[in-house]
Amino acid sequence: MSAFLIYEHDNTSHKITKLSTHASQRIYDEKAEEQHHASMSHYRSIDSSVIDKGESHIPHFVSYIHLPIQQLVLEIMAIDLLPLPLPESADPTKFTNFGREVKGFDPATFSPEQFEELKDALYKYDALLFRNVDMTPEQQYALTKAFDPASENYGHGNKQTEADKKSILHPDLKTIPRVPQVQLIGNGMVYNHEGLAEARLKHPHHKTFHKTIVSQEDEDKGITRFYRWHIDAALYNLSPPKVTTLYALNVPQGPKQVVRYDDESGEELPVPLGTTAFVSGRTMFDILPKELKSVAARARVKYAPHPYVWMAPARAKSTGLGIESDGLESSFNDLPPWEESRRKLYPVLWKNPATGELSFQVHPCGVAELLIDPIPEGKPRDGALYPDGAHLTDLKEVRDLLYKMQRPAISPNLVYPHDWQEKDMVLFHNRGLLHSVVGAFKEDQVRAFHQCNLAASDEPTGPTPEDVKIWA
C-alpha cells in the first residue's frame, strides 16, 4: 500500500510541517498535484525523518512553489502484502493469516525502519515471499541475522564434529566457504559456485528414509511423498533458529507430482515439482479438539541427544510425520559423546513474540519423551486426558499421541506447497510453522538454493500459566 504524507511548506520560514497521513488516496490541491507529477523523482528522494523534525533545509523541488503556504503530497512507498497464490486443494479460510507475497521491499538492502515493518509482517503471517530477488550470500546472512542480531552460528552447528558427520542431514548441505552460515542445497552437479569448485547436491528422497516406498512404476508416473516434516533446529545444544531464508537460484521445470499419503486415508496432494510444503503451527493447534488442546498446553517434549544421529537408522512414516516405532534408533550409548544438560526440553506450544498466539511446534522425528503437567487446580477434570499429569517414555506411546495431534494439520486443504520460480526468496518464521522437502528429481535436473538459519540467542517461549488455565 502507498502512503501519502501531507506536508505544509512555509516559504518565509523554509520549514515543512507534517499535517496528516492518507493511505491509498491522493489528496492535494491543483498546485501540489502539478508539482507532484513534475518532480516525483525529488519526492521519492526525501528523507521523511528529516522532514518530520522540521529541519530548516528543504528538498530542491520546493523552490518551484510560489504560494506563501502550500500543501504538498509526498508519496512514501510502504510494503505491499498480497495473499499467496493458493492451490485449488487449499481451504482459503484457513490461510487468512498465513503467508503473504511482499512488494515494495528489497530484502537485499533495507533500512532499520523498513525492517521493523517486515518483522511485524513475518510474525503476523509466518511466511513471506519475495519475487525476482538479487541477493548475495552476505546479504542473505544479513537479513537472517537481523531477526536475531546476537546469533552467529548456522542453526545446526559448524558441521565438523563426529556427530555432524554421522547426522542424517550431512549429505544434504554444502557450506558457502566465505559465508559459512549459508548452505547450498539442491540436486545435481554445480560448478564454480560462490567459492565451491564443484558440489554434488542430492535432493532428499523418501526412499532413503521412509519404511515403505513408492514403487518405481508409480514414481515414473509422478507419485511422490513428503520427505520429513520438521522445524529447522539442531535440537541438541543449540537453540532453534527464529527464521529461515530460502533463495532459489536454479529451479528445474517439469510436470507436477502427486503426494500420496499412503496412510489408509486415501489423501493425495498435487504439487509443483520440487515444492517446499508448509503448514501453520497455529492452525495445527487451533483445529485440535478440546481434550487434545489441553494436553498440548500442558505438555513438553524432550528430544534425544544428537537426534539426527539417533534417528538415522530408523525409518519414517509414509506421511513424513515422525518415525515408525520399530526399535531401530541408535542406542544412547552408541551416540557421539553427549551431556544430559545439553538435551532440549521444550513446550509443545510456542508463543508468537508479536501476536502472543500459540503454535504447535514439535519436530516429531527427534522426540524421545513427553512430559505432561497435571490439570490446573480448579479446572474441570471430567473427560481430560492425563488429568494427573504423566511422563511418557515409551517411544510408541509418545509417537502415537503426537501423531494424533499433528496429523490433521498436514491434510491437503491445510498445506501450502510453494511453486518455486528462479530468484524467489522465502522468509519464514521457523518457530511458527513446520515444513517439508517434497518430491524427487532425476540426476540431470540441477536445482540450486541458498539456505540460511542461525542458532538463536534464546529459547522459545511456551504458554503462560494464564494460557494453560484457558486451554487446559
Side-chain angles (χ1 to χ4, degrees):
M1 178 181 297
S2 296
F4 296 88
L5 308 185
I6 309 294
Y7 292 91
E8 182 178 80
H9 169 236
D10 188 327
N11 269 358
T12 303
S13 65
H14 291 287
K15 287 190 176 182
I16 306 177
T17 305
K18 180 178 178 182
L19 298 182
S20 60
T21 302
H22 298 266
S24 298
Q25 186 176 1
R26 301 187 180 197
I27 304 177
Y28 37 63
D29 63 21
E30 290 182 2
K31 198 72 175 181
E33 182 173 5
E34 177 183 340
Q35 293 299 324
H36 174 85
H37 291 295
S39 306
M40 181 55 68
S41 63
H42 296 297
Y43 284 35
R44 288 179 175 172
S45 68
I46 292 175
D47 182 345
S48 61
S49 65
V50 171
I51 296 176
D52 288 348
K53 294 175 184 176
E55 299 289 352
S56 59
H57 63 280
I58 56 177
H60 170 69
F61 73 87
V62 173
S63 63
Y64 288 101
I65 297 174
H66 303 293
L67 299 179
I69 292 184
Q70 177 67 56
Q71 285 191 358
L72 307 178
V73 177
L74 310 180
E75 184 178 26
I76 310 300
M77 300 306 293
I79 296 176
D80 272 341
L81 298 174
L82 309 177
L84 292 176
L86 297 177
E88 292 183 1
S89 55
D91 178 354
T93 66
K94 299 298 186 181
F95 287 87
T96 55
N97 287 319
F98 179 85
R100 289 296 184 270
E101 181 179 350
V102 180
K103 293 186 178 293
F105 183 98
D106 182 356
T109 58
F110 50 87
S111 69
E113 293 78 16
Q114 288 175 315
F115 175 74
E116 288 304 313
E117 189 174 355
L118 183 75
K119 184 167 69 173
D120 289 344
L122 179 72
Y123 287 139
K124 182 175 181 179
Y125 296 111
D126 286 329
L128 300 178
L129 165 64
F130 304 79
R131 299 279 196 192
N132 199 30
V133 170
D134 291 306
M135 174 174 275
T136 66
E138 289 86 354
Q139 290 168 330
Q140 185 172 356
Y141 168 54
L143 173 65
T144 309
K145 187 177 175 66
F147 285 88
D148 188 2
S151 63
E152 180 60 32
N153 297 314
Y154 178 61
H156 286 275
N158 60 14
K159 305 202 295 99
Q160 295 177 353
T161 68
E162 179 187 357
D164 297 325
K165 294 174 183 177
K166 292 182 177 180
S167 168
I168 197 171
L169 303 177
H170 182 67
D172 302 337
L173 306 171
K174 307 293 181 185
T175 299
I176 302 298
R178 71 176 189 276
V179 189
Q181 297 86 355
V182 177
Q183 310 299 317
L184 173 64
I185 61 176
N187 190 75
M189 288 298 301
V190 176
Y191 300 95
N192 300 317
H193 182 87
E194 301 290 358
L196 293 168
E198 63 177 47
R200 182 179 294 277
L201 306 178
K202 191 171 183 180
H203 187 74
H205 198 295
H206 83 275
K207 288 183 178 178
T208 67
F209 186 52
H210 288 199
K211 180 178 180 178
T212 65
I213 61 174
V214 171
S215 70
Q216 189 59 52
E217 180 182 4
D218 281 350
E219 185 171 312
D220 291 341
K221 296 176 182 177
I223 303 299
T224 191
R225 295 261 185 92
F226 299 119
Y227 176 66
R228 176 173 58 238
W229 288 101
H230 65 285
I231 303 164
D232 286 336
L235 303 174
Y236 175 80
N237 192 37
L238 300 172
S239 301
K242 295 182 179 180
V243 303
T244 292
T245 52
L246 275 176
Y247 179 41
L249 296 163
N250 197 75
V251 180
Q253 299 302 309
K256 281 192 171 185
Q257 298 181 324
V258 175
V259 172
R260 202 168 61 191
Y261 287 61
D262 282 334
D263 64 347
E264 299 181 356
S265 68
E267 291 186 317
E268 294 183 341
L269 174 66
V271 296
L273 177 66
T275 185
T276 305
F278 297 91
V279 294
S280 165
R282 284 181 288 188
T283 301
M284 188 175 285
F285 176 57
D286 289 344
I287 65 176
L288 288 177
K290 180 180 178 181
E291 65 274 12
L292 292 179
K293 276 191 170 79
S294 172
V295 174
R298 293 182 284 129
R300 292 166 291 159
V301 288
K302 190 169 188 177
Y303 290 95
H306 301 301
Y308 299 98
V309 181
W310 174 72
M311 74 174 74
R315 289 295 174 262
K317 296 180 180 294
S318 60
T319 56
L321 188 68
I323 302 289
E324 295 283 4
S325 299
D326 295 329
L328 299 178
E329 301 79 16
S330 295
S331 165
F332 283 9
N333 294 329
D334 295 331
L335 296 176
W338 58 275
E339 299 174 22
E340 181 66 28
S341 62
R342 298 191 177 194
R343 292 180 66 184
K344 292 300 184 180
L345 177 64
Y346 288 137
V348 163
L349 303 180
W350 296 2
K351 183 177 279 289
N352 185 299
T355 69
E357 295 171 288
L358 297 170
S359 294
F360 196 116
Q361 293 298 116
V362 173
H363 188 324
C365 292
V367 175
E369 303 174 35
L370 186 62
L371 294 84
I372 305 170
D373 291 337
I375 292 282
E377 187 175 350
K379 295 288 292 184
R381 299 167 65 86
D382 292 345
L385 300 174
Y386 308 103
D388 298 320
H391 182 183
L392 307 182
T393 58
D394 179 85
L395 268 179
K396 187 176 188 319
E397 185 178 8
V398 169
R399 287 169 174 165
D400 286 352
L401 179 56
L402 288 173
Y403 193 79
K404 184 178 182 180
M405 290 195 280
Q406 292 187 286
R407 172 60 179 85
I410 68 164
S411 287
N413 65 321
L414 300 178
V415 176
Y416 171 66
H418 182 58
D419 191 356
W420 287 103
Q421 300 176 20
E422 290 186 359
K423 292 191 175 184
D424 277 1
M425 203 279 287
V426 172
L427 163 69
F428 62 87
H429 180 206
N430 186 55
R431 295 182 173 189
L433 51 74
L434 270 69
H435 64 287
S436 177
V437 173
V438 186
F441 292 107
K442 295 179 171 60
E443 191 172 344
D444 61 351
Q445 290 179 304
V446 178
R447 183 181 198 252
F449 280 49
H450 285 170
Q451 181 224 55
C452 184
N453 56 63
L454 302 172
S457 59
D458 62 14
E459 299 286 16
T461 300
T464 64
E466 290 72 25
D467 291 327
V468 176
K469 289 179 182 178
I470 291 171
W471 298 110

